[in-house]
Amino acid sequence: MSEFDYDLFVIGAGSGGVRAARTAAATGARVAVAEDRYLGGTCVNVGCVPKKLYSYAAHFHEAFEDSGGFGWQLSAEPSFDWATLRDNKIGEIKRLNGIYGRLLDNADVRLINGRANVVDAHHVEVGGETISAEKILVAVGGWPWVPDFPGNELTLNSNQVFDLDEFPQRFLVLGGGYIAVEFASIFNGLGSESHLVYRGELFLRGFDNEVREFTRDEMAKKGVNLHFNTNIEAIEKVATGLKVTLTDGRTLEVDAVLAATGRRPHLAGLGLDRLDVATNDDGSLEVNERFETSVPSILALGDVTGAPELTPVALEEAMKLVEHHFADTVPEPLDYERVATAVFCHPNIGTVGLSEEAARERFEAIRVYSADFRPMKHTLSGSSERSLMKLIVDDATDVVVGAHMVGEEAGEIIQGIAIAVRAGLTKAQFDQTVGIHPTGAEEFVTMRTPTRR
């Protein structure tokens, strides 16, 4: 008999924690999970899922406008009811919470409601109960961070923005990452006067520069007010809303301010400091290829480790962690460089592999193929929206090392392209693939002439 109550104790029932718990239990391990907030973690409750639902809602505004060119006449001016969207979203999240609970129950994993505190290398305390475990997995994800400035308590964070009592007719987003550009687009599409304030020259740092510039121009065309090279100096509540003073001296009056300024590992009060668990410069937990921290019995995965803050990454890490510790195998390391991702701004971004800038640093010579075009749909809709598709090729091997798209359903399209990039296919193999016509996606297999080298 084991000297421990459990073989694995998981702190956090988000995507990564639940996947690790279920998969470890399937090997015969005795597993328990502690969660102090909501099943499914950030993604299900205040991240990917509700964000995508709100993005769908925002797209209807454009669809109504586009329909006229195809012969549709709306009998009345469309109107938007925020409460309907918000409350339907709440119902869907409750349904998903229930699914996560049943997944754990069906896997014979014990679920404990409460914030676990790490006592030592093999013990946790939760709800007044001290529990021993051979291994403890920290999978608590991140928590929104808001910078310090006068009036910052008047801002919303990305956990709160989904459940506003009233719809803001004037909406300002501070930040330049995924969340910022997505919510600036979403509230613009829902009918707000939307502003995005970012301290840098251009948002989405780390993405391909052409993609960033193209997205900037398309978002501006749709009506998002972009304020670069500036920041919020102060926010003040006034009779008619919130007065936002920017560092360039301008002022804006809005109804709500979202501080989409990043998320940090949600480690406060967890007790890891008493074990002197090593951290990276950004405060995330330092782990090795086996997802072990500096205390070998304390494991960690997902957002708390500084890995790409993406649900599929946490899920894949969970699978590999279980292989290392409970399946007696050594899995192939996760290829973080060729992880596909999407940004659900309007229009959407989909990307996988290297940006043009990163490829130029990596390879002696590259070829860039790109297509900037008006989608067939908009020849009748009258919309001026354009799409961008782009392939980056290592000239020496002809391997496609990066693929990028800005346009409708970019995430859906890049998911398929990601398989080809992960497999290391060449541009010649892309060229040999017969396209589906008429689609925008066929551009990825019909671009023959390099745009530049």
mmCIF file of all heavy atoms in Angstrom, residues 149-190:
data_model
loop_
_atom_site.group_PDB
_atom_site.id
_atom_site.type_symbol
_atom_site.label_atom_id
_atom_site.label_comp_id
_atom_site.label_asym_id
_atom_site.label_seq_id
_atom_site.Cartn_x
_atom_site.Cartn_y
_atom_site.Cartn_z
ATOM 1 N N PHE A 149 -2.286 53.046 -11.832
ATOM 2 C CA PHE A 149 -2.435 54.453 -12.202
ATOM 3 C C PHE A 149 -3.676 54.977 -11.478
ATOM 4 O O PHE A 149 -4.540 54.193 -11.060
ATOM 5 C CB PHE A 149 -2.561 54.636 -13.727
ATOM 6 C CG PHE A 149 -3.653 53.838 -14.374
ATOM 7 C CD1 PHE A 149 -4.989 54.246 -14.319
ATOM 8 C CD2 PHE A 149 -3.352 52.660 -15.048
ATOM 9 C CE1 PHE A 149 -5.995 53.507 -14.924
ATOM 10 C CE2 PHE A 149 -4.358 51.903 -15.651
ATOM 11 C CZ PHE A 149 -5.682 52.338 -15.585
ATOM 12 N N PRO A 150 -3.780 56.284 -11.294
ATOM 13 C CA PRO A 150 -4.936 56.826 -10.590
ATOM 14 C C PRO A 150 -6.251 56.427 -11.276
ATOM 15 O O PRO A 150 -6.430 56.646 -12.464
ATOM 16 C CB PRO A 150 -4.713 58.344 -10.662
ATOM 17 C CG PRO A 150 -3.241 58.501 -10.817
ATOM 18 C CD PRO A 150 -2.803 57.334 -11.648
ATOM 19 N N GLY A 151 -7.141 55.816 -10.520
ATOM 20 C CA GLY A 151 -8.426 55.401 -11.061
ATOM 21 C C GLY A 151 -8.439 54.004 -11.637
ATOM 22 O O GLY A 151 -9.436 53.599 -12.249
ATOM 23 N N ASN A 152 -7.365 53.231 -11.443
ATOM 24 C CA ASN A 152 -7.349 51.887 -12.035
ATOM 25 C C ASN A 152 -8.424 50.983 -11.441
ATOM 26 O O ASN A 152 -8.824 49.994 -12.050
ATOM 27 C CB ASN A 152 -5.962 51.246 -11.938
ATOM 28 C CG ASN A 152 -5.589 50.848 -10.518
ATOM 29 O OD1 ASN A 152 -6.213 51.287 -9.546
ATOM 30 N ND2 ASN A 152 -4.559 50.035 -10.382
ATOM 31 N N GLU A 153 -8.928 51.338 -10.244
ATOM 32 C CA GLU A 153 -9.997 50.542 -9.642
ATOM 33 C C GLU A 153 -11.313 50.691 -10.395
ATOM 34 O O GLU A 153 -12.256 49.911 -10.183
ATOM 35 C CB GLU A 153 -10.200 50.960 -8.173
ATOM 36 C CG GLU A 153 -10.853 52.314 -7.962
ATOM 37 C CD GLU A 153 -9.890 53.494 -8.085
ATOM 38 O OE1 GLU A 153 -8.692 53.264 -8.374
ATOM 39 O OE2 GLU A 153 -10.344 54.641 -7.894
ATOM 40 N N LEU A 154 -11.381 51.659 -11.314
ATOM 41 C CA LEU A 154 -12.585 51.855 -12.115
ATOM 42 C C LEU A 154 -12.602 50.996 -13.381
ATOM 43 O O LEU A 154 -13.593 50.997 -14.119
ATOM 44 C CB LEU A 154 -12.710 53.332 -12.507
ATOM 45 C CG LEU A 154 -12.862 54.320 -11.339
ATOM 46 C CD1 LEU A 154 -12.788 55.753 -11.842
ATOM 47 C CD2 LEU A 154 -14.172 54.077 -10.590
ATOM 48 N N THR A 155 -11.511 50.276 -13.621
ATOM 49 C CA THR A 155 -11.444 49.442 -14.824
ATOM 50 C C THR A 155 -12.090 48.082 -14.583
ATOM 51 O O THR A 155 -12.245 47.633 -13.447
ATOM 52 C CB THR A 155 -9.990 49.213 -15.270
ATOM 53 O OG1 THR A 155 -9.300 48.446 -14.266
ATOM 54 C CG2 THR A 155 -9.267 50.532 -15.497
ATOM 55 N N LEU A 156 -12.452 47.448 -15.675
ATOM 56 C CA LEU A 156 -12.862 46.050 -15.675
ATOM 57 C C LEU A 156 -11.664 45.199 -16.041
ATOM 58 O O LEU A 156 -10.774 45.645 -16.776
ATOM 59 C CB LEU A 156 -13.957 45.809 -16.719
ATOM 60 C CG LEU A 156 -15.223 46.644 -16.636
ATOM 61 C CD1 LEU A 156 -15.984 46.544 -17.962
ATOM 62 C CD2 LEU A 156 -16.086 46.176 -15.486
ATOM 63 N N ASN A 157 -11.626 43.956 -15.567
ATOM 64 C CA ASN A 157 -10.633 43.027 -16.092
ATOM 65 C C ASN A 157 -11.327 41.998 -16.978
ATOM 66 O O ASN A 157 -12.554 41.995 -17.108
ATOM 67 C CB ASN A 157 -9.817 42.378 -14.968
ATOM 68 C CG ASN A 157 -10.652 41.508 -14.039
ATOM 69 O OD1 ASN A 157 -11.552 40.783 -14.476
ATOM 70 N ND2 ASN A 157 -10.369 41.569 -12.741
ATOM 71 N N SER A 158 -10.543 41.122 -17.579
ATOM 72 C CA SER A 158 -11.103 40.188 -18.560
ATOM 73 C C SER A 158 -11.974 39.119 -17.921
ATOM 74 O O SER A 158 -12.694 38.404 -18.625
ATOM 75 C CB SER A 158 -9.980 39.543 -19.379
ATOM 76 O OG SER A 158 -9.044 38.891 -18.533
ATOM 77 N N ASN A 159 -11.940 38.981 -16.577
ATOM 78 C CA ASN A 159 -12.869 38.081 -15.903
ATOM 79 C C ASN A 159 -14.251 38.704 -15.776
ATOM 80 O O ASN A 159 -15.265 38.005 -15.722
ATOM 81 C CB ASN A 159 -12.369 37.734 -14.492
ATOM 82 C CG ASN A 159 -11.205 36.774 -14.503
ATOM 83 O OD1 ASN A 159 -10.780 36.307 -15.552
ATOM 84 N ND2 ASN A 159 -10.672 36.481 -13.326
ATOM 85 N N GLN A 160 -14.298 40.028 -15.709
ATOM 86 C CA GLN A 160 -15.545 40.732 -15.398
ATOM 87 C C GLN A 160 -16.316 41.186 -16.624
ATOM 88 O O GLN A 160 -17.519 41.415 -16.543
ATOM 89 C CB GLN A 160 -15.216 41.967 -14.538
ATOM 90 C CG GLN A 160 -14.526 41.648 -13.227
ATOM 91 C CD GLN A 160 -13.927 42.888 -12.573
ATOM 92 O OE1 GLN A 160 -13.367 43.736 -13.261
ATOM 93 N NE2 GLN A 160 -14.044 42.987 -11.268
ATOM 94 N N VAL A 161 -15.638 41.320 -17.759
ATOM 95 C CA VAL A 161 -16.232 41.999 -18.902
ATOM 96 C C VAL A 161 -17.428 41.265 -19.507
ATOM 97 O O VAL A 161 -18.277 41.876 -20.157
ATOM 98 C CB VAL A 161 -15.156 42.260 -19.979
ATOM 99 C CG1 VAL A 161 -14.721 40.949 -20.644
ATOM 100 C CG2 VAL A 161 -15.626 43.280 -20.995
ATOM 101 N N PHE A 162 -17.534 39.968 -19.265
ATOM 102 C CA PHE A 162 -18.609 39.189 -19.878
ATOM 103 C C PHE A 162 -19.974 39.413 -19.231
ATOM 104 O O PHE A 162 -20.995 39.122 -19.836
ATOM 105 C CB PHE A 162 -18.281 37.691 -19.807
ATOM 106 C CG PHE A 162 -17.079 37.294 -20.612
ATOM 107 C CD1 PHE A 162 -15.858 37.071 -19.991
ATOM 108 C CD2 PHE A 162 -17.162 37.145 -21.982
ATOM 109 C CE1 PHE A 162 -14.748 36.704 -20.720
ATOM 110 C CE2 PHE A 162 -16.058 36.779 -22.728
ATOM 111 C CZ PHE A 162 -14.838 36.562 -22.096
ATOM 112 N N ASP A 163 -19.995 39.907 -18.008
ATOM 113 C CA ASP A 163 -21.239 39.903 -17.234
ATOM 114 C C ASP A 163 -21.671 41.289 -16.785
ATOM 115 O O ASP A 163 -22.222 41.468 -15.698
ATOM 116 C CB ASP A 163 -21.081 38.979 -16.021
ATOM 117 C CG ASP A 163 -20.875 37.534 -16.435
ATOM 118 O OD1 ASP A 163 -21.715 37.019 -17.182
ATOM 119 O OD2 ASP A 163 -19.861 36.923 -16.033
ATOM 120 N N LEU A 164 -21.457 42.286 -17.614
ATOM 121 C CA LEU A 164 -21.853 43.650 -17.279
ATOM 122 C C LEU A 164 -23.369 43.768 -17.155
ATOM 123 O O LEU A 164 -24.118 43.175 -17.934
ATOM 124 C CB LEU A 164 -21.356 44.615 -18.363
ATOM 125 C CG LEU A 164 -19.852 44.598 -18.648
ATOM 126 C CD1 LEU A 164 -19.536 45.562 -19.788
ATOM 127 C CD2 LEU A 164 -19.074 44.963 -17.399
ATOM 128 N N ASP A 165 -23.801 44.557 -16.185
ATOM 129 C CA ASP A 165 -25.241 44.774 -16.006
ATOM 130 C C ASP A 165 -25.827 45.544 -17.183
ATOM 131 O O ASP A 165 -26.932 45.239 -17.647
ATOM 132 C CB ASP A 165 -25.501 45.540 -14.705
ATOM 133 C CG ASP A 165 -25.202 44.710 -13.469
ATOM 134 O OD1 ASP A 165 -25.287 43.467 -13.561
ATOM 135 O OD2 ASP A 165 -24.867 45.306 -12.436
ATOM 136 N N GLU A 166 -25.090 46.536 -17.660
ATOM 137 C CA GLU A 166 -25.548 47.372 -18.761
ATOM 138 C C GLU A 166 -24.552 47.335 -19.903
ATOM 139 O O GLU A 166 -23.342 47.251 -19.679
ATOM 140 C CB GLU A 166 -25.742 48.824 -18.305
ATOM 141 C CG GLU A 166 -26.739 49.001 -17.166
ATOM 142 C CD GLU A 166 -28.169 48.714 -17.593
ATOM 143 O OE1 GLU A 166 -28.450 48.851 -18.811
ATOM 144 O OE2 GLU A 166 -28.996 48.362 -16.720
ATOM 145 N N PHE A 167 -25.041 47.404 -21.112
ATOM 146 C CA PHE A 167 -24.159 47.428 -22.280
ATOM 147 C C PHE A 167 -23.527 48.811 -22.416
ATOM 148 O O PHE A 167 -24.230 49.822 -22.411
ATOM 149 C CB PHE A 167 -24.953 47.099 -23.550
ATOM 150 C CG PHE A 167 -24.110 47.095 -24.791
ATOM 151 C CD1 PHE A 167 -23.231 46.061 -25.031
ATOM 152 C CD2 PHE A 167 -24.191 48.133 -25.715
ATOM 153 C CE1 PHE A 167 -22.450 46.048 -26.173
ATOM 154 C CE2 PHE A 167 -23.416 48.140 -26.853
ATOM 155 C CZ PHE A 167 -22.538 47.083 -27.085
ATOM 156 N N PRO A 168 -22.199 48.894 -22.530
ATOM 157 C CA PRO A 168 -21.531 50.191 -22.648
ATOM 158 C C PRO A 168 -21.613 50.733 -24.080
ATOM 159 O O PRO A 168 -21.089 50.109 -25.013
ATOM 160 C CB PRO A 168 -20.084 49.875 -22.255
ATOM 161 C CG PRO A 168 -19.896 48.439 -22.622
ATOM 162 C CD PRO A 168 -21.231 47.784 -22.432
ATOM 163 N N GLN A 169 -22.233 51.868 -24.246
ATOM 164 C CA GLN A 169 -22.314 52.475 -25.577
ATOM 165 C C GLN A 169 -20.968 53.030 -26.018
ATOM 166 O O GLN A 169 -20.706 53.170 -27.214
ATOM 167 C CB GLN A 169 -23.368 53.586 -25.569
ATOM 168 C CG GLN A 169 -24.777 53.102 -25.278
ATOM 169 C CD GLN A 169 -25.301 52.124 -26.322
ATOM 170 O OE1 GLN A 169 -24.960 52.223 -27.504
ATOM 171 N NE2 GLN A 169 -26.128 51.179 -25.886
ATOM 172 N N ARG A 170 -20.110 53.353 -25.046
ATOM 173 C CA ARG A 170 -18.756 53.832 -25.330
ATOM 174 C C ARG A 170 -17.785 52.955 -24.549
ATOM 175 O O ARG A 170 -17.873 52.870 -23.326
ATOM 176 C CB ARG A 170 -18.619 55.303 -24.926
ATOM 177 C CG ARG A 170 -19.609 56.241 -25.629
ATOM 178 C CD ARG A 170 -19.652 57.599 -24.936
ATOM 179 N NE ARG A 170 -20.086 57.481 -23.539
ATOM 180 C CZ ARG A 170 -20.098 58.505 -22.675
ATOM 181 N NH1 ARG A 170 -19.693 59.711 -23.068
ATOM 182 N NH2 ARG A 170 -20.501 58.321 -21.427
ATOM 183 N N PHE A 171 -16.887 52.300 -25.247
ATOM 184 C CA PHE A 171 -16.072 51.242 -24.642
ATOM 185 C C PHE A 171 -14.606 51.460 -24.988
ATOM 186 O O PHE A 171 -14.267 51.694 -26.149
ATOM 187 C CB PHE A 171 -16.550 49.882 -25.167
ATOM 188 C CG PHE A 171 -15.901 48.690 -24.520
ATOM 189 C CD1 PHE A 171 -16.233 48.317 -23.227
ATOM 190 C CD2 PHE A 171 -14.986 47.919 -25.213
ATOM 191 C CE1 PHE A 171 -15.664 47.206 -22.635
ATOM 192 C CE2 PHE A 171 -14.408 46.803 -24.642
ATOM 193 C CZ PHE A 171 -14.751 46.442 -23.354
ATOM 194 N N LEU A 172 -13.735 51.396 -23.987
ATOM 195 C CA LEU A 172 -12.300 51.576 -24.215
ATOM 196 C C LEU A 172 -11.547 50.364 -23.702
ATOM 197 O O LEU A 172 -11.821 49.870 -22.597
ATOM 198 C CB LEU A 172 -11.807 52.843 -23.506
ATOM 199 C CG LEU A 172 -10.352 53.262 -23.771
ATOM 200 C CD1 LEU A 172 -10.204 54.778 -23.701
ATOM 201 C CD2 LEU A 172 -9.384 52.613 -22.760
ATOM 202 N N VAL A 173 -10.603 49.886 -24.492
ATOM 203 C CA VAL A 173 -9.754 48.762 -24.108
ATOM 204 C C VAL A 173 -8.317 49.257 -23.991
ATOM 205 O O VAL A 173 -7.809 49.928 -24.892
ATOM 206 C CB VAL A 173 -9.807 47.626 -25.146
ATOM 207 C CG1 VAL A 173 -8.989 46.434 -24.668
ATOM 208 C CG2 VAL A 173 -11.245 47.199 -25.408
ATOM 209 N N LEU A 174 -7.664 48.909 -22.891
ATOM 210 C CA LEU A 174 -6.245 49.205 -22.703
ATOM 211 C C LEU A 174 -5.461 47.920 -22.906
ATOM 212 O O LEU A 174 -5.691 46.929 -22.207
ATOM 213 C CB LEU A 174 -6.005 49.749 -21.289
ATOM 214 C CG LEU A 174 -4.537 49.961 -20.890
ATOM 215 C CD1 LEU A 174 -3.888 51.034 -21.753
ATOM 216 C CD2 LEU A 174 -4.422 50.312 -19.403
ATOM 217 N N GLY A 175 -4.529 47.922 -23.865
ATOM 218 C CA GLY A 175 -3.707 46.742 -24.090
ATOM 219 C C GLY A 175 -3.491 46.482 -25.560
ATOM 220 O O GLY A 175 -4.120 47.105 -26.422
ATOM 221 N N GLY A 176 -2.609 45.524 -25.857
ATOM 222 C CA GLY A 176 -2.294 45.243 -27.249
ATOM 223 C C GLY A 176 -2.129 43.772 -27.565
ATOM 224 O O GLY A 176 -1.573 43.410 -28.601
ATOM 225 N N GLY A 177 -2.644 42.908 -26.692
ATOM 226 C CA GLY A 177 -2.546 41.477 -26.938
ATOM 227 C C GLY A 177 -3.840 40.892 -27.479
ATOM 228 O O GLY A 177 -4.735 41.613 -27.923
ATOM 229 N N TYR A 178 -3.935 39.551 -27.432
ATOM 230 C CA TYR A 178 -5.123 38.846 -27.923
ATOM 231 C C TYR A 178 -6.405 39.472 -27.376
ATOM 232 O O TYR A 178 -7.314 39.832 -28.121
ATOM 233 C CB TYR A 178 -5.119 37.391 -27.429
ATOM 234 C CG TYR A 178 -4.224 36.406 -28.097
ATOM 235 C CD1 TYR A 178 -2.856 36.406 -27.882
ATOM 236 C CD2 TYR A 178 -4.745 35.398 -28.904
ATOM 237 C CE1 TYR A 178 -2.025 35.459 -28.455
ATOM 238 C CE2 TYR A 178 -3.939 34.437 -29.473
ATOM 239 C CZ TYR A 178 -2.573 34.463 -29.247
ATOM 240 O OH TYR A 178 -1.769 33.520 -29.815
ATOM 241 N N ILE A 179 -6.496 39.541 -26.028
ATOM 242 C CA ILE A 179 -7.745 39.954 -25.391
ATOM 243 C C ILE A 179 -8.122 41.363 -25.807
ATOM 244 O O ILE A 179 -9.286 41.660 -26.083
ATOM 245 C CB ILE A 179 -7.617 39.833 -23.862
ATOM 246 C CG1 ILE A 179 -7.399 38.368 -23.462
ATOM 247 C CG2 ILE A 179 -8.864 40.373 -23.175
ATOM 248 C CD1 ILE A 179 -7.071 38.176 -21.991
ATOM 249 N N ALA A 180 -7.131 42.244 -25.874
ATOM 250 C CA ALA A 180 -7.409 43.643 -26.196
ATOM 251 C C ALA A 180 -7.995 43.793 -27.591
ATOM 252 O O ALA A 180 -9.047 44.428 -27.778
ATOM 253 C CB ALA A 180 -6.128 44.466 -26.068
ATOM 254 N N VAL A 181 -7.339 43.222 -28.595
ATOM 255 C CA VAL A 181 -7.828 43.422 -29.963
ATOM 256 C C VAL A 181 -9.148 42.684 -30.176
ATOM 257 O O VAL A 181 -10.010 43.149 -30.932
ATOM 258 C CB VAL A 181 -6.775 43.004 -31.012
ATOM 259 C CG1 VAL A 181 -5.530 43.863 -30.908
ATOM 260 C CG2 VAL A 181 -6.400 41.539 -30.910
ATOM 261 N N GLU A 182 -9.323 41.554 -29.505
ATOM 262 C CA GLU A 182 -10.576 40.818 -29.647
ATOM 263 C C GLU A 182 -11.752 41.619 -29.088
ATOM 264 O O GLU A 182 -12.790 41.769 -29.749
ATOM 265 C CB GLU A 182 -10.459 39.466 -28.955
ATOM 266 C CG GLU A 182 -9.557 38.492 -29.699
ATOM 267 C CD GLU A 182 -9.253 37.224 -28.952
ATOM 268 O OE1 GLU A 182 -9.364 37.213 -27.698
ATOM 269 O OE2 GLU A 182 -8.894 36.224 -29.591
ATOM 270 N N PHE A 183 -11.604 42.145 -27.887
ATOM 271 C CA PHE A 183 -12.735 42.849 -27.283
ATOM 272 C C PHE A 183 -12.976 44.219 -27.896
ATOM 273 O O PHE A 183 -14.120 44.693 -27.928
ATOM 274 C CB PHE A 183 -12.575 42.929 -25.770
ATOM 275 C CG PHE A 183 -13.064 41.690 -25.090
ATOM 276 C CD1 PHE A 183 -12.173 40.702 -24.701
ATOM 277 C CD2 PHE A 183 -14.411 41.498 -24.888
ATOM 278 C CE1 PHE A 183 -12.630 39.547 -24.109
ATOM 279 C CE2 PHE A 183 -14.881 40.335 -24.293
ATOM 280 C CZ PHE A 183 -13.986 39.347 -23.899
ATOM 281 N N ALA A 184 -11.941 44.864 -28.414
ATOM 282 C CA ALA A 184 -12.164 46.101 -29.159
ATOM 283 C C ALA A 184 -13.028 45.804 -30.379
ATOM 284 O O ALA A 184 -13.954 46.559 -30.709
ATOM 285 C CB ALA A 184 -10.835 46.718 -29.577
ATOM 286 N N SER A 185 -12.755 44.694 -31.062
ATOM 287 C CA SER A 185 -13.554 44.288 -32.221
ATOM 288 C C SER A 185 -14.958 43.863 -31.821
ATOM 289 O O SER A 185 -15.946 44.231 -32.465
ATOM 290 C CB SER A 185 -12.868 43.127 -32.956
ATOM 291 O OG SER A 185 -11.778 43.552 -33.719
ATOM 292 N N ILE A 186 -15.068 43.077 -30.753
ATOM 293 C CA ILE A 186 -16.366 42.542 -30.343
ATOM 294 C C ILE A 186 -17.320 43.667 -29.977
ATOM 295 O O ILE A 186 -18.461 43.724 -30.470
ATOM 296 C CB ILE A 186 -16.195 41.563 -29.161
ATOM 297 C CG1 ILE A 186 -15.586 40.241 -29.664
ATOM 298 C CG2 ILE A 186 -17.532 41.299 -28.469
ATOM 299 C CD1 ILE A 186 -15.134 39.307 -28.559
ATOM 300 N N PHE A 187 -16.888 44.581 -29.115
ATOM 301 C CA PHE A 187 -17.804 45.635 -28.695
ATOM 302 C C PHE A 187 -18.090 46.617 -29.824
ATOM 303 O O PHE A 187 -19.197 47.166 -29.908
ATOM 304 C CB PHE A 187 -17.273 46.328 -27.442
ATOM 305 C CG PHE A 187 -17.634 45.585 -26.185
ATOM 306 C CD1 PHE A 187 -16.825 44.558 -25.714
ATOM 307 C CD2 PHE A 187 -18.791 45.882 -25.493
ATOM 308 C CE1 PHE A 187 -17.162 43.847 -24.574
ATOM 309 C CE2 PHE A 187 -19.152 45.176 -24.357
ATOM 310 C CZ PHE A 187 -18.333 44.153 -23.890
ATOM 311 N N ASN A 188 -17.140 46.792 -30.720
ATOM 312 C CA ASN A 188 -17.407 47.589 -31.918
ATOM 313 C C ASN A 188 -18.512 46.932 -32.745
ATOM 314 O O ASN A 188 -19.453 47.589 -33.196
ATOM 315 C CB ASN A 188 -16.137 47.736 -32.749
ATOM 316 C CG ASN A 188 -16.355 48.500 -34.032
ATOM 317 O OD1 ASN A 188 -16.639 49.683 -34.032
ATOM 318 N ND2 ASN A 188 -16.231 47.797 -35.164
ATOM 319 N N GLY A 189 -18.409 45.613 -32.929
ATOM 320 C CA GLY A 189 -19.412 44.891 -33.698
ATOM 321 C C GLY A 189 -20.774 44.868 -33.044
ATOM 322 O O GLY A 189 -21.804 44.829 -33.723
ATOM 323 N N LEU A 190 -20.803 44.893 -31.706
ATOM 324 C CA LEU A 190 -22.071 44.889 -30.985
ATOM 325 C C LEU A 190 -22.729 46.263 -30.953
ATOM 326 O O LEU A 190 -23.886 46.391 -30.545
ATOM 327 C CB LEU A 190 -21.867 44.386 -29.554
ATOM 328 C CG LEU A 190 -21.429 42.925 -29.399
ATOM 329 C CD1 LEU A 190 -21.197 42.584 -27.938
ATOM 330 C CD2 LEU A 190 -22.439 41.966 -30.022
#
